[in-house]
Amino acid sequence: MLNTDVTPEILNQGGKNCMVGHVGIEITEVGTDYLCGKMPVDKRTHQPMGLLHGGASVVLAETLGSIAATLAVDTKKYFCVGLEINANHIRGVKSGYVYGKATPLHIGRSTHVWQINIRNEDEKLVCTSRITMAIREIK
């Protein structure tokens, strides 16, 4: 279902000069029905108490969900934009990396819903998020 001809290296080039590059997000794997990425937990992604900022988790979730949705459509005909995102923050993280995996809950003609689970280096759940994407026709 996802376009696996697009490599993580190609996707990472596209994120260099925007929010994705600023916070250090890297796409690590493109599967037929999932997309994985990682983000450092450091001064770029901390809140004042030295923990991973909840907004940074949402940036990772939206990045993965948006890219995954885009890889699931014909990009010569359609583009994807976020409609709604939510996140439940489960566990704090002080350093290292967090790892996100986006999987589809619904792939429709005009909307997609993606589940993104973010885990720490011990594979414990840090954040669970759901994003709804609008699929729009290029005119």
Side-chain angles (χ1 to χ4, degrees), residues 20-139:
V20 175
H22 178 70
V23 297
I25 293 172
E26 294 177 49
I27 303 305
T28 57
E29 188 177 357
V30 180
T32 58
D33 64 348
Y34 65 90
L35 181 74
C36 295
K38 68 180 185 175
M39 181 177 67
V41 181
D42 61 20
K43 66 181 181 178
R44 296 172 290 177
T45 56
H46 278 161
Q47 43 95 306
M49 296 301 295
L51 295 169
L52 176 63
H53 193 293
S57 294
V58 174
V59 169
L60 176 58
E62 180 138 6
T63 298
L64 295 175
S66 296
I67 292 171
T70 299
L71 292 175
V73 301
D74 179 349
T75 56
K76 293 179 180 150
K77 296 180 182 179
Y78 303 97
F79 66 99
C80 306
V81 294
L83 280 179
E84 189 271 342
I85 189 166
N86 67 54
N88 294 101
H89 307 292
I90 311 296
R91 171 176 280 103
V93 180
K94 292 184 176 183
S95 62
Y97 280 87
V98 289
Y99 301 86
K101 183 174 185 179
T103 56
L105 297 176
H106 166 73
I107 303 290
R109 183 184 55 76
S110 61
T111 62
H112 290 186
V113 179
W114 291 82
Q115 180 73 39
I116 303 93
N117 286 328
I118 300 171
R119 298 183 181 276
N120 65 15
E121 292 177 332
D122 295 327
E123 298 185 18
K124 292 182 178 175
L125 189 63
V126 170
C127 176
T128 186
S129 180
R130 188 182 65 242
I131 189 169
T132 303
M133 300 296 299
I135 312 307
R136 297 290 182 237
E137 191 172 354
I138 297 171
K139 297 185 181 199

